[in-house]
Amino acid sequence: MNWEILPLTNQLGSWSGIWDDLNAHLYNSHPFSDSRFVNALLKHFGNGTEHLCIHRSVGNIDGLLILRYRGRGIWTQFVPSQAPAIPILVENADILRGLFSSLSPFAWLIELLNMDPEFCPSFPFNKDFCLRIVPHALTININLKSSFESYWKERSKNIIKNIRRYHRRIVNELGLPILKVLTNPHLMHDAVAHYGGLESDGWKKRTGTAINIENKQGSFYSEVMTAFAATGQAKVAEYRIGQRLIASRLIISNNKIVIILKTTYDESLARFAPGRLHLRDTLQYIFRENQHNSVEFYTNATQDQLTWATGQRHISHVMIFRTALYARAYDLYHTIRLLLQKYTGK
């Protein structure tokens, strides 16, 4: 069967329910593929060039994804930077080959971005299915099947020692930090505003990437957090000393995984490591909730972050080519490009 390609107008519309049904079937309703998350992405970061690709087999829909035309015969998956991974809703990767003829006679490359190997179809590696996998980021997770005490004992002596030292320092000089977890949907807007105020005082303000409740990012996260909180799937973990907010995390979940969506802390307090102290206390809270299997960070992990993890895996871009000739031409282009960079330093 061929694919049906429909233009989108900043939302999935009547397709939202079918989208969620397939996400539930394939990925246990992964939060990043939840229609509430995807519709918010389309609303705030779509540009009107998005297309919904629909595949049916024997009358049943077994493939859904959103693509944009990037130009020069290249179609790319709709994945704004606010989505560190979006599982494609495809039951069998073989059906992706049919996309080329349905998109355009000139389409030669489909880019599937930020693919999580835990939540994507198995891609066939054979001569008839021309693809390349490009590593993008090393993400981490923490297994929640033990107790927090067992998890913490397995951390390095340096982490345990440093956390103890930072905690003693902050208590002695500023006071005892208290973790407050907000879950009421009516509190999400203000919690995101507080988060943005803290982030806007740090380095992200200088780069123009900070959340502000008045900008697109702030509106997006407020909408997502409110929608997920309405079904008990979102919380904001605030870390305060008295009334002073020193760190915050935005968290969404399904019944299997918890996703640390966003993290910020008061950079003026760096010598107290409030972000690390907050992470330790937030993990302790999540462990003791005893409701999920893992915490997923969806980040490009630093060496420090890796020491907190119990698991890691690569998020990758999957490049699907129309023919083997296009794939070989792509390889040649990148080989030449790397050689030029090596010898010119550019």
Side-chain angles (χ1 to χ4, degrees), residues 158-220:
N158 280 341
I159 286 183
I160 296 171
K161 177 183 175 182
N162 288 337
I163 289 296
R164 190 181 297 124
R165 176 165 54 88
Y166 289 131
H167 186 264
R168 184 167 56 246
R169 180 185 296 172
I170 202 169
V171 169
N172 290 341
E173 298 187 30
L174 297 178
L176 179 66
I178 300 297
L179 181 71
K180 184 177 182 181
V181 179
L182 308 175
T183 59
N184 189 317
H186 299 295
L187 299 177
M188 292 297 109
H189 177 85
D190 286 348
V192 172
H194 296 152
Y195 178 102
L198 194 58
E199 190 171 82
S200 293
D201 287 334
W203 65 269
K204 288 190 176 182
K205 180 180 181 180
R206 297 188 292 275
T207 62
T209 58
I211 289 176
N212 183 301
I213 200 61
E214 301 298 329
N215 66 18
K216 282 186 178 182
Q217 285 213 85
S219 298
F220 165 74

Side-chain angles (χ1 to χ4, degrees), residues 47-58:
N47 61 15
T49 64
E50 294 78 27
H51 290 73
L52 178 64
C53 306
I54 307 146
H55 188 272
R56 292 179 174 86
S57 293
V58 198

